[in-house]
Each structure stands twice: as C-alpha cells, then as structure tokens.
Amino acid sequence: MAKKPKTPDNNIAQNKRARFDYHIEEKFEAGVSLQGWEVKSLRQGKGQITETYVIVQNGEAFLIGAQIQPLNTVSTHYVIEPQRTRKLLLNRKELNKLMMATEQKGKTIVALSLFWKRHLVKCQIAIASGKKQHDKRDTEKDRDWNRQKQRIMQHSNR
C-alpha cells in the first residue's frame, strides 16, 4: 500500500501568548510586505511574533515587533534591522473595520500567526480585547479539565 505524501506545515510562527492574554473577536488574513532576505530567513524558520501588535496609521496597517533573524550569508550584504516595522496588505473594507475597532475602548489588534499561502507570506491578525486575571485562570482550568477528560476516555477505552 502506498503512503500518502506528507503535507508540509504552512506555519512559520505562532503567537500562543495572544490567545491566552486576549479574547479573540474577529480574525483577518493580511499579506506582509517583506524584503528578499526576510523571505529567505522565514523559509529557514527564523521568525518570531510573540510580542507583536498592529497599528493603523494614515489608512495603512503596520506590524510592529515581529522579529526575523537574518541568515549569516545575507547579513554581509545589507544593513539589516531584524525588528523593523512591516506594512500589512489589507483591502479598504478590512482597514476601516480595524480603524473602527481600535477607536473603541479596550480593543487592540494582535498578530496570531505567520504562515505560507502558496509562495506568499501571510499574517493572521485579530481584533481582541484583554482578559482579566480571573478569565485567564478560568481558561487554564478548562484546559486542564479537557486534558483530564481525554486521559479518562483513553483509559476507559482500553
């Protein structure tokens, strides 16, 4: 019997901290404007978006805090800034939604993940509101309970 070809993982980087710290309300998919050396570094998996957020200025969205480590072979040719501000490519309707959301009190825009879509780098961003400390504890309790249920179910199926 022939094996199925393994599908490649399209994720480059994920921001797991954002899902813990924020209530995710609405998600968007945005293109990222990158330089050539940044794409090469992302192909090697050298991207990080843990402390990343999005701002909207003058009708444009920008990704702030995303860190892409340069490759050794490229860093000799260019002046490299690993944490530079990168422009996000969104249509006008999506930008208007983001602008309206950030004007509301307690709303922010966070980056959830960087991924490949065919040959393009995309960023999943979301409108989010911050969680309180007790909300974080409830989330952790739910996660622990779900793990416990899985263990019980696996043990009873044996």
Side-chain angles (χ1 to χ4, degrees):
M1 209 172 185
K3 280 188 174 180
K4 268 187 170 177
K6 187 177 178 184
T7 57
D9 187 24
N10 291 338
N11 281 335
I12 299 168
Q14 284 190 330
N15 188 356
K16 293 180 181 178
R17 189 78 191 164
R19 294 187 191 278
F20 183 72
D21 288 339
Y22 298 100
H23 290 289
I24 306 300
E25 295 175 10
E26 191 173 357
K27 296 178 186 176
F28 298 95
E29 184 179 296
V32 184
S33 178
L34 297 171
Q35 295 176 349
W37 68 268
E38 292 172 325
V39 176
K40 288 180 180 181
S41 292
L42 289 176
R43 287 198 189 281
Q44 298 294 317
K46 295 187 180 263
Q48 183 180 3
I49 57 167
T50 51
E51 297 292 323
T52 306
Y53 60 96
V54 177
I55 61 168
V56 181
Q57 284 183 334
N58 302 328
E60 295 179 331
F62 296 97
L63 186 65
I64 296 179
Q67 188 168 9
I68 299 175
Q69 290 300 321
L71 298 173
N72 293 335
T73 56
V74 178
S75 61
T76 58
H77 306 343
Y78 296 105
V79 176
I80 291 177
E81 197 177 335
Q83 261 188 319
R84 73 177 184 90
T85 302
R86 293 165 179 92
K87 186 176 177 181
L88 292 177
L89 309 172
L90 294 158
N91 64 38
R92 179 61 44 204
K93 194 183 287 188
E94 292 170 335
L95 282 169
N96 289 337
K97 273 188 184 179
L98 293 175
M99 282 191 281
M100 294 294 287
T102 54
E103 290 171 0
Q104 294 177 9
K105 187 176 181 192
K107 304 280 184 187
T108 187
I109 307 168
V110 293
L112 299 177
S113 66
L114 277 176
F115 60 94
W116 293 103
K117 190 167 186 179
R118 291 187 228 118
H119 63 282
L120 303 173
V121 176
K122 300 284 185 171
C123 181
Q124 185 178 37
I125 60 175
I127 298 171
S129 57
K131 284 186 181 178
K132 302 278 189 240
Q133 189 65 37
H134 61 86
D135 292 333
K136 292 179 187 179
R137 284 194 293 265
D138 290 342
T139 303
E140 208 159 309
K141 282 181 189 175
D142 290 341
R143 192 178 320 129
D144 289 342
W145 171 239
N146 286 333
R147 261 191 235 126
Q148 196 73 19
K149 281 195 300 190
Q150 289 292 351
R151 287 189 193 120
I152 292 169
M153 293 298 288
Q154 286 178 352
H155 186 68
S156 66
N157 288 339
R158 289 183 185 176

